């Protein structure tokens, strides 16, 4: 009877906290970095590792990289770059993961963690190099949000990677159409500039005579050029004479 009274007293005094089972790694509230073996690099922010004897998919906390093979978004600009850089970093040293104080698993069954190679944050590196954006900020898993924002601002200030094109990075992800439109516009501008500056046609007739035709010339439209020139002087220097002379 005295024994049970003592046990009851101890429980009231010290609480009823459950003792973790054997082999369980308790990291809540700590910054312990747990060594893991990388099994596969899926993309810029998701990998598979061997953890506690199991193969687990890990989603990088607080960052988002462009997609490489999404069901609806497909392949986004800089997605392959982020994946390649992620793979390169993870192969360069010893890999470890760190949990935050909140949820460790997302709705898709992926572990949520910070990733390190020889103690250096992979997330920060990707952000600083312009291959990721700060995203999915869900308290209390926000331990390194300030550091990540600073790293992202470095890339943003220098217009690196995903920050090269205005409005590619959005609050909801990455807008590939902006880059596609920009590329198309640049292509049109290049063609337009070419047409304006290098529109002089150089033709060699059957007798071997070199003739150049300006856009206002009589035979300009029907002439198939062997060469293009950006100025009449350039054509003359190349040995061509103006049509009609």
């Amino acid at each position: 009877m005295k024994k049970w009274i003592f046990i009851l007293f101890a429980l009231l005094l010290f609480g009823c906290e459950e003792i973790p089972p054997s082999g369980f790694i308790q990291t809540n509230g700590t910054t312990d970095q747990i060594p893991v073996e990388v099994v596969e690099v899926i993309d810029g922010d998701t990998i598979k590792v061997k953890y506690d004897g199991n193969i687990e998919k890990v989603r990088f906390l607080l960052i988002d990289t462009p997609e490489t093979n999404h069901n609806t978004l497909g392949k986004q600009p800089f997605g392959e770059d982020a994946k390649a850089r992620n793979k390169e970093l993870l192969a360069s040293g010893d890999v470890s993961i760190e949990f935050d104080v909140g949820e460790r698993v997302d709705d898709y069954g992926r572990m949520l963690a910070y990733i390190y190679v020889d103690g250096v944050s992979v997330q920060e590196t990707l952000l600083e190099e312009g291959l990721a954006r700060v995203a999915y900020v869900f308290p209390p898993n926000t331990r390194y949000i300030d550091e990540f924002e600073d790293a992202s601002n470095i890339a943003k200030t220098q217009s690196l990677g995903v920050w090269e094109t205005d409005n590619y990075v959005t609050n909801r992800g990455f807008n590939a159409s902006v880059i596609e439109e920009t590329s198309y516009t640049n292509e049109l501008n290049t063609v337009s500039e070419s047409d304006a500056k290098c529109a002089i046609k150089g033709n060699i007739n059957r007798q071997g005579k070199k003739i150049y035709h300006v856009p206002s010339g009589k035979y300009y439209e029907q002439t198939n050029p062997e060469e293009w020139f950006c100025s009449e002087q350039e054509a003359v220097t190349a040995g061509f004479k103006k049509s009609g002379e």
Side-chain angles (χ1 to χ4, degrees):
M1 185 68 178
K2 290 182 179 180
K3 178 181 178 180
W4 288 108
I5 292 175
F6 176 77
I7 292 175
L8 179 61
F9 176 76
L11 289 173
L12 291 173
L13 182 63
F14 298 106
C16 302
E17 183 175 356
E18 181 180 354
I19 299 175
S22 176
F24 179 79
I25 301 175
Q26 190 172 22
T27 59
N28 279 350
T30 75
T31 56
D32 294 343
Q33 293 182 18
I34 306 163
V36 295
E37 177 186 342
V38 177
V39 175
E40 179 185 354
V41 176
I42 297 174
D43 55 28
D45 55 34
T46 311
I47 60 177
K48 285 184 180 179
V49 303
K50 185 177 289 186
Y51 167 79
D52 199 22
N54 299 313
I55 303 298
E56 300 284 356
K57 187 178 288 188
V58 181
R59 179 67 166 77
F60 294 13
L61 275 169
L62 298 180
I63 74 165
D64 179 35
T65 62
E67 299 293 344
T68 57
N69 188 28
H70 194 272
N71 291 336
T72 56
L73 299 174
K75 182 183 293 187
Q76 297 177 313
F78 296 102
E80 290 294 341
D81 300 89
K83 178 180 178 179
R85 183 57 172 146
N86 189 23
K87 189 173 184 178
E88 180 183 36
L89 290 169
L90 294 170
S92 66
D94 295 326
V95 180
S96 58
I97 63 174
E98 173 189 335
F99 295 111
D100 210 323
V101 296
E103 293 292 334
R104 296 190 191 181
V105 179
D106 67 9
D107 294 339
Y108 301 98
R110 302 173 298 186
M111 293 201 313
L112 302 170
Y114 301 107
I115 317 299
Y116 299 89
V117 175
D118 293 337
V120 178
S121 171
V122 174
Q123 275 111 312
E124 276 194 58
T125 301
L126 293 173
L127 287 166
E128 192 169 325
E129 294 180 1
L131 295 173
R133 70 184 182 105
V134 174
Y136 303 114
V137 181
F138 301 123
N141 285 345
T142 56
R143 179 177 294 152
Y144 299 113
I145 187 62
D146 291 338
E147 290 86 344
F148 286 8
E149 289 283 7
D150 289 342
S152 181
N153 285 334
I154 291 174
K156 188 174 183 180
T157 300
Q158 298 179 21
S159 298
L160 299 178
V162 298
W163 302 103
E164 286 181 4
T165 304
D166 290 342
N167 301 318
Y168 176 51
V169 180
T170 73
N171 291 331
R172 301 184 63 181
F174 302 93
N175 184 5
S177 64
V178 172
I179 289 184
E180 292 168 0
E181 289 172 3
T182 301
S183 298
Y184 180 67
T185 300
N186 290 339
E187 183 179 347
L188 288 179
N189 289 339
T190 300
V191 172
S192 177
E193 290 174 4
S194 177
D195 288 344
K197 296 180 181 179
C198 302
I200 298 174
K201 295 179 178 181
N203 176 257
I204 303 175
N205 64 21
R206 293 179 181 178
Q207 289 74 39
K209 189 175 181 180
K210 296 181 176 180
I211 305 294
Y212 74 84
H213 304 262
V214 297
S216 59
K218 182 178 180 180
Y219 302 106
Y220 182 85
E221 292 297 333
Q222 66 192 62
T223 298
N224 293 319
E226 275 86 15
E227 294 187 48
W228 289 91
F229 300 104
C230 298
S231 68
E232 291 190 58
Q233 182 57 54
E234 184 181 343
V236 171
T237 302
F240 286 72
K241 290 187 177 182
K242 189 173 183 178
S243 175
E245 292 183 350

